[in-house]
Amino acid sequence: MVTVAEQLVEVLRQAGVERVYGVVGDSLNPVVDAIRRAEGISWVHVRNEEAGAFAAAAEAELTGRLAVCAGSCGPGNTHLVQGLYDAQRSGVPVLALASHIPSAQIGTGFFQETHPERVFTDCSGWCEMLATPAQSPRLVRVAVQHAIAARGVSVLAFPGDVAALPAAAGTGTGGFLTEHAVAAPPWSQVQALAERLNAAPKVTVFAGAGVRGAHEEVMRLAATVNAPVGHSLRGKEWVQYDNPYDVGMSGLLGYGACHEALHEADLVLLLGTDFPYDSFLPQARTVQVDHDATRLGRRTPLELAVHGDVATTLRAVLPLLEQKRDRSFLDGMLAKHCKALETVVGAYTKDIEKHRPIHPEYVASALDEVAADDAVFTVDTGMCNVWAARYLTPNGRRRVIGSFLHGSMANALPQAIGAQLAFPGRQVVSMSGDGGLGMLLGELLTVAKHRLPVKTVVFNNGALGMIKLEMLVSGYPEFEIDNGDVDYAAIARACGIPAKRVTDPAKVRDVLAESLERPGPALVDVVTDPNALSIPPRITAAQLKGFALAAGRTVLSGGVGRMVDLARSNLRNIPRP
């Protein structure tokens, strides 16, 4: 006799799923037992279902394949919500298995009763209840296919007793989507794009995550129209490396000349970005290219909307473009970019060996230098986002992921777990804030239990640093942001993870290098300066007033690590007549 649960697991295996993240319990037991007996699929025991959802999202983002998490009835599956929101907003294929109370008790206010088919509708693209064996395996396949095809979250809810019933039909076999179609723009839009690019004396390119796989085309475009190239945080890893046109990043974490380049251009070309901070965009003179037509024009008015994959669109338009001869705009922005970086580089280089608490900028810069060329970095929301944006050097092989769209705390360590399980031979580094790590501290036990070689670097400033910055900008005095003086290295050692606590800046680089090179898990707890904050490249008068009212000994500059070397190199390599 094959049960519904066994049928569900077999469909997951047919879809290529290798593991399910979750916490076992009551209504999930039929599925967990089916996994126990199945070949080629395993259960990954985490300490909180939220972490399981984040881990699944990270696996899906890095592999492009379906990943699965699960939660038992009531609190077990409602814990999944944060990670599922993150997966849905990041556009990665995740299936959540949300078991339910006994079917005969639904609607009676039974113990742990929720309504999963309602709870998850806002954080998923597909959410349905498998209520009878007759719906399986068809509904399971629909859930899988929807997650893969829509690049988002599917939630399959089912009463635990139904999962234990005999299947009503054979499982059979069936293929799932493995490659997506590529959106090619209409020829009329290609021609209109070429006309605008040819007509504009000064063009700036702003690239997002949608330029993945289009690095060569973006560089050819920039060379043809002499355009400075800026990027969003999610676009950084795909466009900043090997880029002689780089002018940095805009937004709340921005740096360099990107803001000036966007606002001084005659035409701004948005490529594969749904950049949400509209106040940083010029709100005029803009063309946008995106494979998702629903994103076109929702952040800024457009002169032209182009529906198409970025690489495909650029390959189509490049033959129609005229080579621009005037490089003055590009060269001027490269010079401004270099100057902007040089003026702040001292923020993390001056008195490094004397400054205590340690500059977090210096920690991030040292980590960038000693990490592997193909390392995967997972980054906590908050100030760790700033340090990753400004110090991690992309090269086309490294990956940097975080909760960049949902902005949830505590994402980095769970994401590192999913990344490490997906790539067991690859170096995975969690850049954890003390606030984020403390929120899901139990996942250190997950790392220890599975002996995952995750390297956790804790930026321990004893405070909620980004919240502190938000209070200062708004003119509020800091309040209740203190996390206390916690020795996370001691906690990690108690969990069975080798760990070191660093308070001497002279030891930072050596301890990081040693910890990254050692086999198995490791944690480095670095005590950093709570007053090392960062502000955007452009702030309003009201925000400045807020700083004047509330800021005391606050470091408002921020370094840029090895990016200043890139900027200097680009400036030196400007062609001379």
Side-chain angles (χ1 to χ4, degrees):
M1 179 191 72
V2 176
T3 66
V4 172
E6 291 171 324
Q7 198 167 64
L8 186 159
V9 172
E10 175 57 27
V11 173
L12 295 184
R13 287 296 301 122
Q14 292 175 9
V17 175
E18 297 179 357
R19 60 191 64 85
V20 178
Y21 301 88
V23 179
V24 299
D26 45 57
S27 55
L28 262 182
N29 286 340
V31 172
V32 174
D33 188 63
I35 292 173
R36 177 183 66 83
R37 292 179 284 107
E39 294 183 0
I41 188 169
S42 61
W43 182 269
V44 179
H45 172 51
V46 295
R47 301 303 166 127
N48 187 306
E49 291 88 353
E50 178 180 342
F54 273 122
E59 179 182 327
E61 182 166 358
L62 293 169
T63 66
R65 301 190 301 269
L66 179 72
V68 181
C69 57
S72 59
C73 60
N77 59 54
T78 56
H79 281 161
L80 296 167
V81 167
Q82 290 295 1
L84 295 184
Y85 262 110
D86 188 77
Q88 178 69 8
R89 299 195 66 185
S90 297
V92 297
V94 170
L95 170 63
L97 305 176
S99 62
H100 201 4
I101 63 171
S103 54
Q105 301 292 348
I106 295 175
T108 68
F110 191 67
F111 175 65
Q112 292 189 325
E113 182 171 8
T114 59
H115 296 278
E117 73 280 13
R118 302 179 195 170
V119 169
F120 295 104
T121 54
D122 193 47
C123 62
S124 66
W126 186 94
C127 181
E128 298 292 345
M129 175 79 75
L130 192 160
T132 71
Q135 294 174 282
S136 180
R138 181 184 180 189
L139 205 61
V140 182
R141 295 190 189 279
V142 171
V144 168
Q145 185 61 60
H146 201 286
I148 298 172
R151 293 187 177 99
V153 172
S154 288
V155 178
L156 182 66
F158 53 88
D161 60 312
V162 172
L165 293 174
T171 304
T173 59
F176 292 100
L177 180 72
T178 56
E179 290 184 281
H180 287 262
V182 176
W187 183 243
S188 60
Q189 293 177 13
V190 174
Q191 290 178 309
L193 175 59
E195 290 172 2
R196 282 168 173 77
L197 289 171
N198 285 330
K202 298 182 294 184
V203 177
T204 292
V205 172
F206 187 67
V211 301
R212 180 178 183 177
H215 186 275
E216 179 183 352
E217 288 81 3
V218 175
M219 295 303 103
R220 287 173 55 199
L221 172 72
T224 302
V225 299
N226 291 331
V229 178
H231 58 265
S232 66
L233 177 56
R234 296 180 71 222
K236 174 185 173 74
E237 62 181 328
W238 305 119
V239 78
Q240 191 186 42
Y241 68 95
D242 296 338
N243 181 357
Y245 315 100
D246 177 54
V247 291
M249 189 169 80
S250 190
L252 296 173
L253 311 184
Y255 57 84
C258 184
H259 187 274
E260 287 89 343
L262 287 170
H263 285 77
E264 294 181 23
D266 298 311
L267 184 69
V268 171
L269 178 59
L270 303 180
L271 295 178
T273 181
D274 191 34
F275 185 69
Y277 301 104
D278 54 348
S279 61
F280 288 90
L281 298 172
Q283 297 298 314
R285 313 178 309 280
T286 302
V287 172
Q288 184 177 3
V289 179
D290 205 292
H291 77 279
D292 184 346
T294 65
R295 297 172 181 167
L296 296 170
R298 72 175 178 178
R299 308 300 184 189
T300 182
L302 300 178
E303 289 188 2
L304 175 67
V306 180
H307 180 213
D309 168 76
V310 171
T312 303
T313 299
L314 296 188
R315 284 195 293 268
V317 79
L318 278 165
L320 306 182
L321 298 182
E322 303 165 0
Q323 177 64 58
K324 294 187 186 296
R325 302 300 175 190
D326 185 356
R327 285 182 54 104
S328 59
F329 177 61
L330 170 60
D331 294 346
M333 287 301 150
L334 292 176
K336 286 185 177 182
H337 180 61
C338 187
K339 182 178 180 181
L341 300 195
E342 287 177 331
T343 57
V344 298
V345 73
Y348 77 98
T349 58
K350 185 178 180 181
D351 298 327
I352 286 174
E353 296 188 357
K354 300 178 181 178
H355 186 90
R356 300 189 189 196
I358 299 166
H359 284 297
E361 303 99 324
Y362 174 59
V363 180
S365 180
L367 178 61
D368 179 56
E369 292 177 4
V370 300
D373 285 343
D374 66 343
V376 177
F377 297 91
T378 62
V379 182
D380 258 340
T381 297
M383 295 311 297
C384 282
N385 269 199
V386 179
W387 314 139
R390 295 188 172 187
Y391 291 93
L392 297 184
T393 306
N395 58 12
R397 289 177 291 164
R398 285 179 166 180
R399 293 300 314 272
V400 181
I401 64 174
S403 187
F404 296 146
L405 295 176
H406 186 50
S408 176
M409 285 180 63
N411 61 284
L413 184 57
Q415 286 179 329
I417 291 169
Q420 194 72 83
L421 285 165
F423 296 98
R426 198 165 171 181
Q427 186 181 87
V428 176
V429 182
S430 172
M431 293 178 62
S432 296
D434 58 311
L437 182 63
M439 186 174 284
L440 286 177
L441 188 60
E443 298 316 312
L444 287 176
L445 298 172
T446 302
V447 171
K449 171 183 171 60
H450 298 288
R451 302 308 300 168
L452 297 175
V454 168
K455 316 303 181 188
T456 304
V457 180
V458 187
F459 288 72
N460 187 358
N461 63 5
L464 299 175
M466 186 61 79
I467 307 303
K468 177 178 181 177
L469 178 62
E470 292 169 355
M471 288 179 171
L472 291 175
V473 169
S474 301
Y476 299 115
E478 60 183 69
F479 181 69
E480 289 297 331
I481 60 168
D482 185 11
N483 289 329
D485 182 14
V486 180
D487 187 340
Y488 289 98
I491 293 173
R493 286 193 293 270
C495 296
I497 297 174
K500 291 188 176 181
R501 183 173 172 90
V502 185
T503 58
D504 183 352
K507 296 180 179 180
V508 166
R509 197 181 190 282
D510 288 344
V511 172
L512 287 174
E514 176 189 344
S515 299
L516 292 181
E517 290 172 2
R518 68 173 298 129
L523 181 142
V524 180
D525 180 14
V526 188
V527 179
T528 60
D529 188 351
N531 291 315
L533 304 177
S534 176
I535 59 173
R538 286 291 182 273
I539 59 174
T540 65
Q543 289 171 329
L544 280 174
K545 181 181 178 182
F547 275 108
L549 289 172
R553 201 168 49 84
T554 304
V555 180
L556 299 183
S557 57
V560 288
R562 286 189 283 175
M563 285 182 284
V564 72
D565 296 328
L566 174 63
R568 288 168 177 162
S569 175
N570 288 344
L571 200 58
R572 285 194 301 268
N573 293 330
I574 291 176
R576 304 301 179 188

